[in-house]
Amino acid sequence: DVKVTQSSRYLVKRTGEKVFLECVQDMDHENMFWYRQDPGLGLRLIYFSYDVKMKEKGDIPEGYSVSREKKERFSLILESASTNQTSMYLCASSPILADEQYFGPGTRLTVT
Amino acid sequence: GQSLEQPSEVTAVEGAIVQINCTYQTSGFYGLSWYQQHDGGAPTFLSYNALDGLEETGRFSSFLSRSDSYGYLLLQELQMKDSASYFCAVRDRAGGFKTIFGAGTRLFVKA
């Protein structure tokens, strides 16, 4: 079974802190994605990556950056956390030409 | 721009059939997917349509009409465990085949 894990289920940070969210997949997938999910807005794509050291902006990249130094790991970085970044963050992976994305359990981030 | 529309809520009775519609607008449509998400859980993939027509997977079927920019998810023999949120998602050639999700439809199944 494909497994996508995220470093934390719940996280509380203060405004202005630098926040790292880690995602690891164990199926050698080329594609990895970071989404945020907010009530009534569905899943919105923040960044995605097709390969190691490659990244593409999604629909809402402002205030975020990403890092993919190894194929299995995709990190989301909040450079200076703000209260409007309080949300559920979901990581996903997929093989390069596949349509099915496999999601991790999510990290519920609260910024106070 | 890119947009997807689906109803926010649908309610149905156990054993019934329910259809969740999705209309989309994209510049480089590639395919339509459906995901299910239970409360507190991660989205899980249900189906994918790239060509017009109906795809059946057990109690679930998904339909696509590219000319109408429209698709639907059909759930038959509804069970209580089908109560969840359902998201349609469009794969778009623009921006490197990224996937854009709808806001989701909350399905309530009543006994």
Side-chain angles (χ1 to χ4, degrees):
Chain A
D1 280 351
V2 176
K3 191 169 184 181
V4 180
T5 57
Q6 296 184 227
S7 50
S8 306
R9 286 301 305 266
Y10 300 93
L11 205 55
V12 180
K13 294 292 181 181
R14 293 189 175 180
T15 301
E17 281 193 84
K18 190 168 187 176
V19 181
F20 293 87
L21 302 182
E22 303 285 337
C23 175
V24 178
Q25 50 96 2
D26 66 357
M27 285 301 292
D28 202 35
H29 287 170
E30 289 80 9
N31 301 332
M32 295 191 75
F33 310 84
W34 274 107
Y35 296 90
R36 64 176 282 175
Q37 184 173 23
D38 301 288
L41 296 178
L43 283 75
R44 293 181 291 166
L45 182 64
I46 304 171
Y47 270 96
F48 60 108
S49 169
Y50 290 132
D51 202 351
V52 176
K53 296 191 185 297
M54 295 187 69
K55 60 184 179 183
E56 297 284 344
K57 292 181 179 179
D59 297 316
I60 51 165
E62 296 79 19
Y64 304 94
S65 62
V66 290
S67 172
R68 193 166 181 199
E69 296 297 318
K70 293 185 178 181
K71 190 174 185 179
E72 68 271 17
R73 188 180 298 269
F74 193 35
S75 302
L76 180 69
I77 303 152
L78 287 66
E79 297 291 341
S80 177
S82 63
T83 54
N84 62 14
Q85 292 179 309
T86 291
S87 186
M88 171 67 81
Y89 289 88
L90 290 161
C91 175
S93 72
S94 73
I96 192 162
L97 294 178
D99 308 293
E100 178 176 358
Q101 294 185 24
Y102 298 85
F103 283 83
T107 296
R108 184 164 293 283
L109 173 67
T110 302
V111 182
T112 61
Chain B
Q2 301 148 335
S3 65
L4 292 92
E5 289 191 14
Q6 54 182 128
S8 58
E9 283 187 13
V10 173
T11 300
V13 177
E14 197 174 15
I17 298 172
V18 72
Q19 179 174 310
I20 300 173
N21 298 320
C22 176
T23 57
Y24 60 85
Q25 182 177 3
T26 68
S27 55
F29 177 82
Y30 194 73
L32 182 71
S33 302
W34 289 92
Y35 287 79
Q36 177 192 59
Q37 185 180 30
H38 287 99
D39 284 348
T44 56
F45 175 82
L46 293 176
S47 68
Y48 176 77
N49 296 67
L51 303 176
D52 287 356
L54 191 68
E55 297 278 345
E56 298 182 63
T57 309
R59 294 188 297 113
F60 293 5
S61 303
S62 58
F63 171 83
L64 175 65
S65 169
R66 296 174 67 114
S67 60
D68 295 323
S69 298
Y70 164 76
Y72 64 73
L73 180 69
L74 192 72
L75 295 81
Q76 302 183 71
E77 301 172 18
L78 278 175
Q79 302 175 9
M80 299 297 290
K81 68 178 182 179
D82 296 329
S83 293
S85 293
Y86 292 85
F87 296 89
C88 60
V90 168
R91 199 165 182 198
D92 194 339
R93 288 188 180 89
F97 291 93
K98 65 182 181 182
T99 301
I100 303 147
F101 283 79
T105 297
R106 180 81 181 196
L107 173 63
F108 296 94
V109 180
K110 294 184 174 181

